[in-house]
Amino acid sequence: MRRPHATDADLTLLWAARFGNSPESKLRGKVVWITGASSGIGEELSYQLAALGARLVLSARRENELERVKRTCLGRFSLKDEDILVLPLDLLDRGSHQEKTAAALKHFGDIDVLINNGGRTQRSLCTEADVDVYQALMELNYLGTVSITKQVLPHMIRRGSGIIATISSVSGFVGVPLATGYAASKHAVQGFFNSLRTELTDYPNITISTICPGPVISSIVQNAFTEELSKPVATAGDQTHKMSTERCVQLTLVGLANRVKEMWIAEQPFLLFCYLWQYSPTLAWYLTNILGKKRVQNFKAGLDADSAYFSKPKVKTT
């Protein structure tokens, strides 16, 4: 793993990492429900939380992969079999979410932290993408997340405490070419949770936390929607330039331990863009148009969309 930079998160999160509560002091023994736990950020969340001594509910569609994650947790860390519940879950099957929540509560009695991590991204131009792709992104990333949240939230309100954390993206508040549907779904997610946070001011011990990573090494690119629902991504490309999954999760857990409401987690220059979009949108648009044009050119040439920001477009050779 590359050495982490001192400027790979927003100032509030970096302050918390240096001076705030440690994740171990706040998350040990807590019941944490993770959606999308079978790979990528969700899988790494499972490992780091298990190392802290948290009790886990692992959810995703692929039960065999969840069992693999559970075995790894039990083999590496001091947890018992009953400390990890494998709970297969389809975010699109909203009718099952009440039953799944009841199963988690029956097993552990409480849900201290919900981490909404499940979802998919997109790699396609708007002019080429079917509307069905946009519907699928909203159904999964937005409505699936809202549905699970609405099942867990009443439990947290009754007990007067809890954390609902959602893995969004920097594309939840900036524009990203080749991901118009994905960015729209993440904008929707952030609008929902920003509004919900204000509705819960009478419950100061319930924290709504939104995590906004930039490019992170993950399987999310391999599983991205393209211009058609059934068409897979041709190649995920080289991902070594991205932030490590381990570092992203480490910072996420620091933020949760310190009840940070919104986290920006990204290496440069992506973190700089977050600040520009907030404080200097005219300059941000100018730079985004330049780099976005290069991103689209490289995508059309068959190169990885994320790694191609500063490279010249070249035709892919076999």
Side-chain angles (χ1 to χ4, degrees):
M1 185 175 71
R2 289 175 298 172
R3 182 181 179 182
H5 298 291
T7 57
D8 56 3
D10 64 84
L11 295 177
T12 300
L13 187 51
L14 291 175
W15 185 96
R18 181 159 186 174
F19 302 108
N21 300 314
S22 69
E24 183 175 13
S25 68
K26 294 297 181 179
L27 298 174
R28 177 175 292 278
K30 300 296 185 183
V31 177
V32 184
W33 187 0
I34 307 167
T35 67
S38 61
S39 63
I41 290 176
E43 181 176 352
E44 183 62 27
L45 278 165
S46 304
Y47 298 150
Q48 292 197 27
L49 283 163
L52 296 175
R55 294 173 291 167
L56 304 175
V57 181
L58 306 180
S59 289
R61 290 181 301 167
R62 298 177 296 171
E63 185 172 4
N64 60 326
E65 289 299 305
L66 294 175
E67 292 288 355
R68 176 186 60 80
V69 173
K70 177 177 179 177
R71 289 194 302 271
T72 302
C73 289
L74 294 177
R76 291 184 187 176
F77 312 111
S78 301
L79 294 177
K80 299 178 182 178
D81 185 79
E82 59 267 26
D83 291 329
I84 303 178
L85 172 64
V86 168
L87 189 65
L89 172 76
D90 186 348
L91 286 174
L92 294 176
D93 185 10
R94 298 196 294 274
S96 70
H97 294 174
Q98 182 176 5
E99 175 188 352
K100 298 294 184 178
T101 304
L105 289 170
K106 181 179 179 180
H107 186 87
F108 285 116
D110 286 315
I111 299 171
D112 298 297
V113 183
L114 169 65
I115 303 180
N116 291 307
N117 173 68
R120 292 176 68 178
T121 187
Q122 177 190 14
R123 287 292 183 275
S124 57
L125 292 165
C126 173
T127 53
E128 298 175 356
D130 293 342
V131 173
D132 289 346
V133 171
Y134 290 87
Q135 179 176 346
L137 284 161
M138 293 300 292
E139 291 277 353
L140 179 63
N141 294 351
Y142 174 61
L143 289 176
T145 296
V146 169
S147 178
I148 290 293
T149 298
K150 283 179 61 62
Q151 293 299 327
V152 174
L153 183 58
H155 165 70
M156 292 185 175
I157 289 176
R158 284 193 296 271
R159 66 198 292 254
S161 65
I163 298 174
I164 296 177
T166 302
I167 307 296
S168 179
S169 167
V170 297
S171 63
F173 58 91
V174 306
V176 180
L178 305 176
T180 49
Y182 176 72
S185 70
K186 293 302 185 179
H187 273 66
V189 162
Q190 292 195 207
F192 173 81
F193 283 107
N194 286 343
S195 302
L196 176 61
R197 187 182 295 115
T198 304
E199 289 187 9
L200 296 174
T201 52
D202 287 339
Y203 302 93
N205 292 322
I206 297 178
T207 298
I208 303 297
S209 183
T210 309
I211 300 96
C212 303
V216 173
I217 296 174
S218 171
S219 59
I220 192 171
V221 178
Q222 289 92 323
N223 298 324
F225 285 110
T226 60
E227 63 271 19
E228 300 174 12
L229 284 177
S230 59
K231 183 179 178 181
V233 172
T235 177
D238 178 24
Q239 299 207 23
T240 57
H241 62 285
K242 299 181 181 180
M243 173 182 278
S244 71
T245 315
E246 293 84 353
R247 176 60 174 169
C248 177
V249 170
Q250 177 190 14
L251 288 167
T252 296
L253 297 183
V254 166
L256 297 185
N258 290 276
R259 304 267 179 164
V260 177
K261 293 180 176 64
E262 181 169 305
M263 312 174 207
W264 300 349
I265 301 173
E267 294 183 347
Q268 301 296 357
F270 305 103
L271 184 64
L272 174 61
F273 267 83
C274 295
Y275 281 100
L276 288 177
W277 272 91
Q278 287 287 102
Y279 300 112
S280 184
T282 300
L283 178 58
W285 270 119
Y286 174 75
L287 295 174
T288 298
N289 287 342
I290 293 174
L291 297 178
K293 183 177 181 179
K294 290 185 177 181
R295 190 173 197 241
V296 171
Q297 288 173 339
N298 280 278
F299 174 78
K300 289 181 176 179
L303 301 178
D304 177 63
D306 291 324
S307 64
Y309 282 103
F310 304 105
S311 61
K312 295 181 180 179
K314 299 178 182 179
V315 177
K316 182 174 62 175
T317 58
T318 57

